[in-house]
């Protein structure tokens, strides 16, 4: 049974909300179905069929340039200390003359600002990527203990 009031017969406040009841049995059945679905909960989680990388797996072979750059800036790092950095620099193949070197002498190290050192390291990492040796450089840099890094403010 359906109840409906013609809009012209209603006052202004009644016209603001119009409720039309069409079939209470159908509405109640729909409500019960939804309630039972909610009470049943969700299906248990199943393992995925996708090949997921295990935690702690070696990811150096698939590291991107951005990931390596994030790694070398972690903990406010600037660059490796000079002796370590020289070994990393020596691993770079086909070094062009325009590629800056490591600030090697104590005087050059103290005169070179931290941001410039960081920029040089970035150039070295970008060169490693262009030469196909980024995974090897990443592996070396990732293995360095924190005390072998120069940090901002040091």
């Amino acid at each position: 049974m359906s109840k409906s009031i013609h809009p012209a017969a209603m006052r202004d406040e009644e016209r603001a909300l119009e409720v039309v009841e069409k079939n209470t049995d159908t509405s109640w059945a729909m409500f019960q179905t939804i309630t039972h679905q909610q009470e049943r909960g969700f299906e248990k989680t199943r393992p995925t069929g996708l090949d997921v990388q295990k935690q702690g797996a070696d990811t150096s072979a698939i590291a991107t340039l951005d990931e390596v750059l994030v790694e070398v800036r972690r903990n406010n790092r600037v660059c490796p200390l000079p002796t370590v950095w020289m070994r990393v620099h020596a691993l770079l193949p086909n070094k062009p003359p325009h590629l800056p070197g490591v600030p090697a002498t104590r005087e050059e190290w103290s005169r070179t600002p931290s941001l410039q050192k960081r920029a040089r390291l970035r150039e070295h990492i970008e060169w490693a990527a262009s030469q196909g040796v980024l995974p090897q450089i990443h592996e070396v840099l990732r293995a360095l203990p924190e005390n072998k890094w120069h940090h901002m403010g040091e």
Side-chain angles (χ1 to χ4, degrees):
M1 178 173 205
S2 180
K3 292 182 182 181
S4 180
I5 300 174
H6 192 277
M10 293 189 300
R11 295 184 302 238
D12 286 339
E13 60 271 359
E14 291 173 334
R15 267 189 229 125
L17 179 65
E18 182 180 341
V19 177
V20 178
E21 182 181 325
K22 293 193 177 197
N23 187 335
T24 57
D25 293 334
T26 305
S27 300
W28 181 249
M30 290 172 62
F31 174 76
Q32 285 183 321
T33 301
I34 292 170
T35 302
H36 290 305
Q37 286 175 349
Q38 186 68 26
E39 289 171 356
R40 277 197 316 261
F42 297 99
E43 186 178 346
K44 292 195 185 279
T45 304
R46 294 181 303 221
T48 180
L50 300 174
D51 188 22
V52 180
Q53 213 171 16
K54 292 191 165 72
Q55 189 176 19
D58 183 22
T59 59
S60 61
I62 58 171
T64 65
L65 176 61
D66 287 338
E67 290 168 339
V68 176
L69 292 173
V70 166
E71 175 72 26
V72 299
R73 290 189 308 258
R74 179 168 290 143
N75 297 327
N76 219 9
R77 296 172 181 161
V78 173
C79 60
L81 294 177
T83 54
V84 177
W85 193 1
M86 282 189 237
R87 287 191 306 231
V88 172
H89 187 262
L91 297 173
L92 299 175
N94 310 316
K95 290 186 272 290
H98 70 273
L99 188 68
V102 177
T105 66
R106 188 179 297 247
E107 183 182 332
E108 186 181 6
W109 183 265
S110 63
R111 281 187 297 128
T112 307
S114 291
L115 289 178
Q116 190 174 358
K117 291 173 189 167
R118 185 180 272 177
R120 283 190 192 187
L121 178 62
R122 181 187 179 111
E123 287 183 66
H124 294 171
I125 292 170
E126 288 172 344
W127 184 255
S130 74
Q131 299 299 303
V133 295
L134 184 62
Q136 294 88 336
I137 297 298
H138 181 229
E139 188 176 319
V140 170
L141 293 172
R142 194 178 59 184
L144 288 178
E146 205 60 40
N147 65 352
K148 297 293 182 182
W149 288 90
H150 176 66
H151 297 83
M152 286 289 190
E154 293 181 341

